[in-house]
């Protein structure tokens, strides 16, 4: 089986019962037979295949067994041709057309199943006599090619939701104009070459052949349009080669001839002939062009290629003698041999007249005409490559600027498009239609385009691409041999795909002794993969994982785990269960990959992978590590539930080490989510007891650090220092520089709170040095945060901002939201010191948006109270009151330092409201609570001092001001300078 993007057409004879009634059965039979013959002829002439005749209905498929990039357009044009051709039979038909993913046999059969089949059938039933209805898939694929009228949502049998549909009015001629139109970017050299060739044709008065090669979507037509739009005093005629239909041999010439003669499609033969003869000096030339163009049925008899070539040359010569002539042949890789010969004849024999022949072709042209343009004096060929990154970014930015899309879609566009302008356009078009929601899907237009290229390959080449696509963007030949043992001559097949530029050889391989290849474009890989049946994908992912295990061992563990998980997911989707052996293998690989990700501080990856392992084959240890990843991300709601399950399981299994580690995590939850320092102390003490005899340094270290944090919350400064020093000893003995960093940083914070800045500085310098040696991003981010606090206390604002900014960047990179929010709060404090309240407010609000959904009770109260104080300063007292009250509700009952600051902040709000008595009471309460502190006494003292002085109570303020100056000499000197 194979999955394909195909288009399905259903046509049904209208009121066939009435046709039979009262009519001679032989006449009826002849009319119905002619109806089916006409329908079949229209379908087949447009490249479709009649799947079946059912009663009075016909079902046809376009894109099965072989896909074309314009299958949807072919189907709709076939439908229009059907309606036109059956008029003469005196009957009418209803037609429905829809495009979408279907499942078909990977053979010459056209039997297909899928939603598109059902929708096309239902649309045909809903259509009125003589009407063609198309669904959303067909509509998207024919935008710009087919004129439609919106008929709105239709209730279709078997569907829970209405389906939007459109009525087909007619087909259009010429190239479509997408709703997202790309400007020309980065083709200056090619434009210069075109302009130079054009100038030479005028100067020499000779014909020049200019061929532009390039992959689909790379911008050949866009380049030609840009060039011809600048020409003045020049006749420009264009025609497109068609890949299907009747009488298409000279179709581009027909379009040019019609355009030059002013012939409209609805002109009758006599009028068309009259217009054509008016533009040709010789009547025989007009008659021959009429025959070649297929517009003059009155011209009888066949003519040789030589006669038609003579007529074409005479016609072009006469036009070029009047003024320079440019003929643009689009999609010439689809041209039949007679047209190719005609173009070369014009290039060779039009003389003494300026003629530029521009041919736009894909590289496939050289498959049928390897000598195209070769050996000619006046022939030029260029190849358009994908845009380099800078120009691709410029193109994306220009297109995105015209649409209101989220900022983060830019990277998605660049990743998908890889420098192909059409891919940029179509990806943005898809995002515009989806209201900017980044979709993992490939735009239908691009899938059709690429699938058609793949389907033109020989079966072995296509099989190679499909099997290789399972591995990803990079693949290895020996792995292909494992996944496709039936392929013969693999090296030859790879060479053919290299020549056709489906794949490229990598300069080096990540697996020693193996050649490596990659898909030239990521979308080629995605489309090739999408054609595989899901059952085949599951088998191939598993087979590739086993190849990786045999060939690379643990080196590519994460990739092997991914492929095993993919196999499991597909089995689960198809069968509702996973084979037990596969589930076990996948869980083991995923657990190993997740633990490796934890050690590398890739916490988000670790969390995702470990959860997958737990889902497949849960064990107590796997559940712990999945919960641990959530702990590292500060996802405390998840930690609370999962670590409690681990604790209970560890207790039942008498696993003291795992029990202790779970208790440590639960103590952190009690602090950060419940703000229950007493419960946190109980849990941390129990963890230390469970781990007392453990030789697991990390487990002991984390329990000690958590116990130190609890002491800090409770205002137990000496206990905080004692536990943190023990943690430092454990880290040092274990030789864990990352843990030493965290311990030194924690000690530095303890000394900062005691205002012992010199001792704190020594520890900060040690922490920064250790973080560099350890390579731990988490440790480095924590050390930088403490460094910022040291600089801020010393009023070194610029240095503080530098440290906090880098800390924020690292915590953002790690995905540790709580610490990233804390860094934003500290940067807001820096902005306030600079007098930039607007930036400070923005940063405070960012921090609140991060912390509130987490249910945080460690930092949120501090962010809220600081923003409340800023709002008071800027005159927004009402919101300030709400925030100050919220901060008091958020703070924990034992959070000693934040109880001081939140009480003080409400006092500031009450003072702004003119409620001085209440304000003074709150501020005195804060100052009294801070009496045993140093760092945390500074702000309440300063705030209360200012409150008293503003009310003329300088004498009362003096002792508070003196204590403030004693604790904060740097700030006191700064205040004195300002005064």
């Amino acid at each position: 089986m194979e999955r394909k993007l195909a288009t399905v057409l259903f046509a049904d004879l209208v009121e066939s019962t009435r046709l039979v009634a009262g009519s001679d059965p032989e006449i009826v039979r002849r009319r119905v037979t002619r109806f089916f013959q006409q329908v079949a002829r229209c379908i087949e002439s447009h490249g479709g295949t009649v799947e079946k005749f059912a009663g009075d209905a016909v079902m046809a498929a376009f894109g099965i067994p072989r896909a074309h990039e314009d299958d949807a357009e072919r189907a709709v044009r076939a439908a229009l041709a059907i309606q036109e051709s059956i008029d003469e039979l005196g009957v009418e038909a209803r037609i429905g057309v829809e495009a979408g993913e279907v499942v078909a046999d990977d053979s010459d059969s056209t039997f297909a199943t899928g939603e598109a089949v059902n929708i096309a059938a239902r649309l045909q039933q809903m259509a009125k006599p003589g009407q063609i209805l198309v669904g959303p898939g067909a509509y998207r694929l024919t935008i710009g090619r087919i004129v439609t009228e919106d008929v709105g949502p239709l209730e279709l049998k078997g569907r829970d939701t209405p389906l939007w549909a459109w009525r087909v009015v007619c087909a259009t001629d010429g190239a479509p104009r997408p709703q997202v139109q790309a400007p020309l970017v980065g083709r200056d050299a090619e434009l210069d070459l075109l302009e130079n060739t054009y100038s030479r044709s005028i100067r020499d008065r000779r014909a020049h052949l200019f061929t532009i090669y390039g992959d689909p979507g790379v911008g050949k037509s866009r380049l030609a349009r840009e060039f011809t739009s600048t020409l003045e005093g020049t006749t420009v005629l264009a025609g497109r080669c068609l890949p299907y239909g009747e009488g298409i041999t000279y179709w581009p010439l027909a379009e040019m001839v019609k355009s030059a003669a002013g012939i409209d499609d609805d002109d009758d033969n006599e009028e068309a002939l009259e217009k054509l003869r008016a533009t040709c000096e010789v009547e025989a030339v007009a008659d021959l062009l009429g025959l070649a163009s297929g517009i003059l049925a009155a011209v009888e008899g066949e003519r040789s290629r030589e006669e038609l070539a003579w007529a074409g040359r005479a016609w072009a010569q006469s036009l070029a003698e009047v003024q320079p002539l440019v003929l643009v042949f689009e999609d010439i890789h689809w041209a039949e041999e007679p047209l190719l010969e005609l173009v070369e004849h014009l290039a060779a024999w039009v003389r003494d007249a300026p003629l530029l022949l521009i041919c736009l072709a894909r590289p496939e042209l050289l498959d049928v005409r390897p000598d195209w343009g070769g050996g000619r004096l006046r022939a030029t060929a260029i190849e358009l490559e994908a845009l380099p990154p800078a120009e691709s970014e410029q193109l994306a930015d220009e297109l995105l600027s015209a649409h209101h899309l989220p900022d983060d879609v830019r990277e998605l566009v660049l990743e998908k498009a890889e420098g192909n302008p059409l891919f940029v356009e179509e990806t943005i078009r898809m995002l515009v239609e989806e209201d900017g929601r980044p979709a993992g899907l490939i735009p239908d237009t691009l899938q059709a385009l690429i699938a058609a290229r793949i389907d033109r390959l020989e079966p072995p080449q296509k099989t190679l691409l499909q099997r290789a696509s399972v591995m990803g963007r990079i693949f290895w030949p020996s792995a292909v041999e494992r996944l496709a043992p039936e392929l013969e001559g693999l090296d030859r097949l790879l060479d053919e795909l290299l020549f056709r530029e489906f794949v490229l050889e990598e300069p080096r391989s990540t697996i020693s002794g193996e050649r490596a290849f990659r898909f030239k474009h990521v979308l080629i890989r995605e489309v090739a993969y999408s054609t595989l049946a899901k059952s085949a994908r599951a088998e191939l992912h598993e087979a590739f994982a086993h190849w990786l295990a045999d060939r690379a061992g643990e080196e590519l563990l994460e990739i092997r785990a991914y492929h095993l998980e993919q196999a499991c997911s597909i089995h689960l989707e198809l069968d509702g269960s996973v084979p037990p052996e596969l589930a076990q293998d996948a869980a083991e690989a995923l657990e190993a990959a997740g633990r490796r990700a934890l050690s590398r501080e890739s916490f988000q990856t670790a969390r995702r992978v470990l959860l997958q392992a737990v889902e497949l084959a849960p064990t107590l240890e796997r559940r712990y590590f999945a919960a641990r990843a959530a702990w590292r991300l500060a996802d405390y709601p998840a930690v609370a539930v999962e670590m409690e399950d681990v604790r209970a399981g560890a207790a039942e299994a008498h696993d003291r080490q795992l029990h202790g580690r779970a208790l440590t995590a639960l103590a952190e939850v009690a602090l950060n989510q419940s703000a229950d320092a007493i419960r946190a102390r109980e849990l941390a003490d129990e963890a230390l007891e469970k781990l007392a005899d453990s030789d697991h340094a990390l487990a002991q270290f984390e329990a000690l650090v958590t116990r130190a944090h609890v002491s800090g919350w409770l205002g137990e400064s000496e206990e905080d220092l004692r536990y943190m020093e023990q943690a430092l000893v454990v880290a040092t003995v274990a030789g864990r520089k990352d843990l030493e960093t965290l311990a030194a940083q924690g000690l530095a914070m303890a000394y900062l709170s005691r205002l012992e800045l010199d001792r704190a500085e020594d520890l900060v310098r040690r922490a920064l040095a250790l973080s560099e040696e350890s390579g731990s991003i988490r440790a480095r981010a924590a050390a930088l945060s403490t460094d910022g606090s040291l600089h801020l206390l010393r009023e070194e604002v610029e240095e503080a901002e530098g440290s906090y900014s880098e800390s924020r960047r690292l915590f953002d990179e790690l995905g540790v939201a709580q610490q990233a929010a804390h860094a934003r709060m500290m940067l807001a404090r820096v902005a306030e010191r600079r007098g930039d309240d607007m930036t400070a407010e923005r940063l405070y609000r960012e921090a609140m948006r991060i912390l509130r959904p987490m249910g945080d009770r460690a930092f949120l109260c501090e962010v809220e109270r600081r923003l409340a104080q800023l709002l008071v300063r800027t005159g927004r007292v009402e919101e300030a009151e709400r925030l100050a009250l919220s901060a008091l509700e958020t703070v924990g009952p034992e959070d000693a330092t934040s109880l001081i600051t939140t009480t003080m902040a409400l006092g500031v709000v009450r003072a702004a409201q003119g409620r001085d008595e209440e304000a003074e009471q709150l501020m005195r309460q804060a100052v009294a609570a801070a009496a045993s502190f140093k760092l945390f006494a500074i702000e309440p003292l300063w705030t209360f001092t200012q409150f008293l002085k503003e009310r003329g109570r300088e004498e009362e303020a003096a002792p508070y001001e003196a204590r403030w100056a004693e604790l904060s000499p740097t700030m006191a000197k700064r205040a004195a300078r300002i005064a």
Side-chain angles (χ1 to χ4, degrees):
M1 286 192 303
E2 192 171 15
R3 302 173 75 92
K4 282 180 169 287
L5 177 63
T7 304
V8 181
L9 178 152
F10 274 87
D12 187 34
L13 182 62
V14 174
E15 296 182 350
S16 58
T17 303
R18 194 178 70 178
L19 178 67
V20 172
S23 299
D24 185 285
E26 188 174 347
I27 295 173
V28 171
R29 179 182 176 85
R30 289 172 66 88
R31 291 175 71 183
V32 172
T33 299
R34 287 182 63 195
F35 166 76
F36 285 135
Q37 289 173 341
Q38 290 283 67
V39 170
R41 183 183 63 79
C42 293
I43 289 167
E44 289 166 1
S45 67
H46 285 80
T49 305
V50 174
E51 164 62 30
K52 63 181 178 181
F53 296 99
D56 301 319
V58 179
M59 173 188 170
F62 292 78
I64 306 173
R66 176 175 166 180
H68 309 88
E69 63 202 63
D70 55 352
D71 280 316
E73 180 186 351
R74 293 173 183 233
V76 177
R77 286 182 179 271
L80 287 166
I82 290 169
Q83 296 289 27
E84 183 179 352
S85 68
I86 64 174
D87 277 349
E88 63 189 55
L89 302 179
V91 297
E92 290 182 302
R94 297 186 182 92
I95 301 178
V97 180
E98 178 58 330
E101 191 173 52
V102 300
V103 176
D105 293 333
D106 50 359
S107 64
D108 289 337
S109 169
T110 58
F111 176 73
T113 56
E115 189 179 33
V117 179
N118 299 329
I119 290 175
R122 299 301 182 205
L123 288 173
Q124 172 258 305
Q125 294 167 1
M126 297 290 291
K128 297 176 182 178
Q131 198 175 65
I132 304 167
L133 292 183
V134 298
Y139 172 75
R140 283 195 304 271
L141 285 164
T142 56
I143 290 174
R145 293 286 192 191
I146 305 296
V147 178
T148 59
E149 286 183 357
D150 192 338
V151 299
L154 300 178
E155 298 286 346
L156 300 186
K157 183 179 178 182
R159 286 184 61 87
D160 296 331
T161 57
L163 181 91
W164 216 277
W166 291 262
R167 181 180 74 83
V168 175
V169 177
C170 63
T172 63
D173 291 325
R177 290 293 179 265
Q179 63 194 80
V180 178
Q181 179 66 52
L184 187 71
V185 171
R187 302 300 191 194
D188 293 342
E190 291 84 356
L191 271 175
D192 289 344
L193 189 55
L194 270 169
E195 289 166 0
N196 180 266
T197 305
Y198 170 72
S199 298
R200 287 171 53 210
S201 74
I202 294 175
R203 183 195 66 196
D204 301 339
R205 294 187 63 80
R206 296 297 294 269
H208 285 251
L209 175 63
F210 197 110
T211 306
I212 304 174
Y213 292 101
D215 288 336
V218 80
K220 303 182 295 293
S221 298
R222 185 70 183 83
L223 174 64
R225 285 201 307 273
E226 185 74 15
F227 165 66
T228 56
S229 68
T230 64
L231 302 180
E232 296 181 358
T234 303
T235 301
V236 179
L237 301 171
R240 184 169 72 103
C241 299
L242 299 179
Y244 62 88
E246 297 175 343
I248 63 168
T249 302
Y250 293 102
W251 188 268
L253 180 65
E255 290 186 299
M256 296 174 185
V257 167
K258 287 180 183 179
S259 178
I263 298 171
D264 297 320
D265 286 338
D266 55 357
D267 288 344
D268 58 31
N269 287 344
E270 186 176 340
E271 186 177 359
L273 182 59
E274 184 179 340
K275 288 181 178 180
L276 184 56
R277 285 175 174 168
T279 62
C280 298
E281 296 178 358
V282 180
E283 188 172 301
V285 170
D287 290 349
L288 285 165
L289 290 175
L291 178 62
S293 303
I295 59 174
L296 300 178
V299 178
E300 298 178 354
E302 295 184 357
R303 296 292 189 272
S304 68
R305 293 183 185 181
E306 290 76 15
E307 289 179 289
L308 294 173
W310 168 79
R313 178 175 64 82
W315 169 77
Q317 181 93 29
S318 63
L319 288 176
E321 285 174 351
V322 176
Q323 63 178 10
L325 175 64
V326 176
L327 301 180
V328 181
F329 293 86
E330 294 196 49
D331 296 332
I332 202 166
H333 47 275
W334 282 330
E336 296 181 8
E337 187 66 23
L339 182 67
L340 295 175
E341 290 180 356
L342 172 63
V343 173
E344 291 189 321
H345 180 79
L346 294 177
W349 293 99
V350 171
R351 297 175 181 177
D352 199 28
L355 168 63
L356 178 59
L357 300 155
I358 300 176
C359 295
L360 312 182
R362 296 177 190 171
E364 295 96 281
L365 173 63
L366 297 175
D367 292 343
V368 294
R369 290 294 291 267
D371 59 344
W372 176 256
R376 299 189 181 278
L377 294 175
R378 291 174 297 280
T380 303
I382 62 171
E383 180 184 17
L384 286 190
E385 294 279 6
L387 295 173
E391 291 171 355
S392 186
E393 290 173 12
Q394 179 188 346
L395 175 61
D397 289 341
E398 292 195 29
L399 287 171
L400 288 169
S401 66
H403 303 279
H404 300 291
L405 294 173
D407 294 337
D408 57 357
V409 304
R410 180 177 184 268
E411 292 307 313
L412 172 69
V413 170
L414 294 172
E415 177 188 340
K416 286 281 187 188
E418 292 190 354
N420 185 299
L422 177 66
F423 293 4
V424 174
E425 286 185 34
E426 290 301 307
T427 304
I428 292 176
R429 178 190 59 77
M430 178 183 72
L431 292 169
V432 169
E433 291 175 356
E434 298 293 328
D435 296 325
R437 295 187 298 274
L441 302 175
I442 308 167
D444 289 348
T445 46
L446 300 188
Q447 184 167 356
L449 189 73
I450 296 166
R453 278 195 73 202
I454 293 173
D455 265 6
R456 284 195 289 270
L457 293 171
E458 293 298 320
Q461 297 169 356
K462 180 177 175 181
T463 298
L464 193 161
L465 276 187
Q466 290 174 316
R467 304 297 168 86
S469 72
V470 173
M471 304 177 212
R473 184 77 183 269
I474 307 293
F475 64 93
W476 297 268
S478 64
V480 175
E481 289 177 346
R482 175 79 67 92
L483 271 57
E486 72 276 16
L487 290 181
E488 297 179 358
L490 187 61
D491 289 342
R492 175 181 55 80
L493 294 175
L494 281 168
D495 286 342
E496 290 169 355
L497 292 174
L498 281 167
F499 177 75
R500 294 174 181 272
E501 296 195 339
F502 280 92
V503 302
L504 303 170
E505 185 164 4
E506 287 284 271
R508 62 176 296 275
S509 173
T510 55
I511 300 179
S512 60
E514 292 278 355
R515 294 172 68 197
F517 294 81
R518 71 178 167 91
F519 287 87
K520 182 177 180 182
H521 198 287
V522 66
L523 292 182
I524 296 175
R525 181 261 158 189
E526 291 182 17
V527 172
Y529 182 78
S530 73
T531 64
L532 287 167
K534 289 186 176 180
S535 56
R537 294 179 198 175
E539 294 173 5
L540 292 167
H541 278 297
E542 186 176 1
F544 181 55
H546 291 319
W547 179 86
L548 283 171
D550 294 342
R551 189 63 187 82
E554 297 302 300
E555 185 180 352
L556 298 177
L557 169 66
E558 291 84 355
I559 299 176
R560 179 162 61 88
Y562 165 80
H563 285 280
L564 288 170
E565 190 278 328
Q566 288 291 297
C568 291
S569 296
I570 296 169
H571 274 295
L572 191 62
E573 180 185 356
L574 293 177
D575 308 322
S577 63
V578 180
E581 187 177 347
L582 172 62
Q584 188 61 40
D585 287 348
E588 289 176 2
L590 288 164
E591 179 188 354
R595 293 177 67 168
R596 185 181 287 184
L598 268 176
S599 68
R600 292 173 176 169
E601 299 182 338
S602 299
F603 301 133
Q604 291 171 317
T605 299
R607 174 69 172 161
R608 175 177 52 79
V609 169
L610 287 163
L611 281 176
Q612 291 169 345
V614 169
E615 287 176 15
L616 287 168
T619 64
L620 183 60
E621 195 167 39
R622 280 178 196 147
R623 284 158 48 203
Y624 168 75
F625 281 108
R628 180 177 177 79
W631 181 17
R632 292 277 70 86
L633 290 167
D635 183 0
Y636 291 113
V639 177
V641 175
E642 295 175 31
M643 279 298 187
E644 178 56 33
D645 287 345
V646 172
R647 184 205 63 76
E652 186 178 343
H654 304 291
D655 187 332
R656 291 178 64 83
Q657 182 173 290
L658 211 52
H659 192 171
R661 299 187 80 178
L663 287 167
T664 300
L666 290 170
E668 290 276 1
V669 172
L671 273 184
N672 291 280
Q673 189 180 36
S674 304
D676 188 346
I678 301 301
R679 176 60 178 157
R681 181 169 61 190
E682 293 171 359
L683 290 166
D685 285 342
E686 187 180 356
L688 286 170
E689 185 270 324
K690 296 288 183 188
L691 296 168
D693 298 326
S694 173
D695 59 356
H696 198 295
L698 177 59
Q700 287 191 332
F701 175 85
E702 289 176 338
L704 288 165
V705 168
T706 298
R707 186 62 181 82
H709 288 163
V710 172
S711 296
W713 272 62
L714 295 169
E716 301 168 349
S717 175
E718 293 300 328
E719 289 289 282
D720 184 1
L721 280 173
R722 182 168 70 85
Y723 282 114
M724 199 61 79
E725 284 170 349
Q726 289 180 33
L728 181 58
V729 170
V730 170
T732 304
V733 170
R736 290 285 300 271
K737 294 185 184 299
D738 56 332
L739 302 184
E740 280 190 76
T741 301
L742 294 172
Q745 171 262 332
L747 279 170
M749 283 302 299
Y751 282 115
L752 284 178
S753 69
R754 297 156 66 102
L755 295 180
E756 297 180 33
L757 302 190
D758 291 340
R759 294 190 69 176
E761 182 176 8
D762 291 340
L763 287 161
V764 167
R765 297 293 158 253
R766 180 179 176 184
L768 288 170
L770 285 166
S771 71
E772 287 284 357
E773 294 173 25
S774 73
S776 167
I777 297 176
R778 175 169 166 252
R780 178 73 178 167
L784 284 164
S785 179
T786 306
D787 185 54
S789 298
L790 175 63
H791 286 302
L792 195 60
L793 275 172
R794 287 176 166 168
E795 291 296 304
E796 297 163 352
V797 177
E798 189 172 325
E799 291 83 353
E801 183 174 28
S803 293
Y804 284 136
S805 294
E806 181 63 6
S807 176
R808 176 181 67 173
R809 186 188 70 78
L810 294 174
F811 279 127
D812 281 342
E813 180 182 328
L814 289 169
V816 183
Q818 185 188 43
Q819 294 298 328
H822 176 263
R824 283 165 170 78
M825 180 183 74
M826 300 310 291
L827 282 168
R829 291 184 60 187
V830 170
E832 285 188 278
R833 294 288 175 87
R834 291 184 179 279
D836 185 356
D837 286 346
M838 184 179 297
T839 297
E841 181 179 347
R842 175 178 59 78
L843 288 165
Y844 282 136
R845 292 191 188 278
E846 280 183 22
M848 280 199 309
R849 281 196 294 271
I850 294 169
L851 294 170
R852 278 180 171 167
M854 298 170 59
D856 174 85
R857 296 186 69 183
F859 298 133
L860 179 59
C861 58
E862 284 296 317
V863 176
E864 288 178 326
R865 72 91 179 171
R866 287 186 181 280
L867 180 56
Q869 291 171 232
L870 184 151
L871 292 173
V872 166
R873 193 166 63 249
T874 55
R876 289 170 283 173
V877 179
E878 187 176 342
E879 185 183 0
E881 181 183 31
R882 290 198 302 272
L883 286 168
L885 290 171
S886 176
L888 270 174
E889 290 175 8
T890 303
V891 71
E894 295 90 21
D895 189 347
T897 57
S898 288
L899 280 170
I900 295 168
T901 56
T902 53
T903 300
M904 174 201 68
L906 184 58
V908 171
V909 172
R910 294 296 181 236
Q913 293 172 325
R915 297 160 63 174
D916 281 11
E917 185 177 342
E918 188 178 349
E920 183 171 344
Q921 181 182 353
L922 288 164
M923 290 185 193
R924 285 186 182 278
Q925 183 181 334
V927 169
S932 61
F933 293 92
K934 292 186 176 181
L935 174 63
F936 300 106
I938 292 174
E939 191 177 2
L941 286 165
W942 169 258
T943 302
F944 189 43
T945 297
Q946 297 308 303
F947 172 84
L948 293 172
K949 291 174 74 173
E950 286 168 3
R951 285 151 183 79
R953 298 160 63 181
E954 282 84 358
E955 190 172 338
E956 277 185 77
Y960 297 107
E961 187 170 23
R963 176 61 175 156
W964 168 77
E966 178 188 343
L967 292 174
S968 184
T970 305
M971 291 181 67
K973 290 177 183 176
R974 177 174 174 267
R977 285 198 304 272
I978 295 173

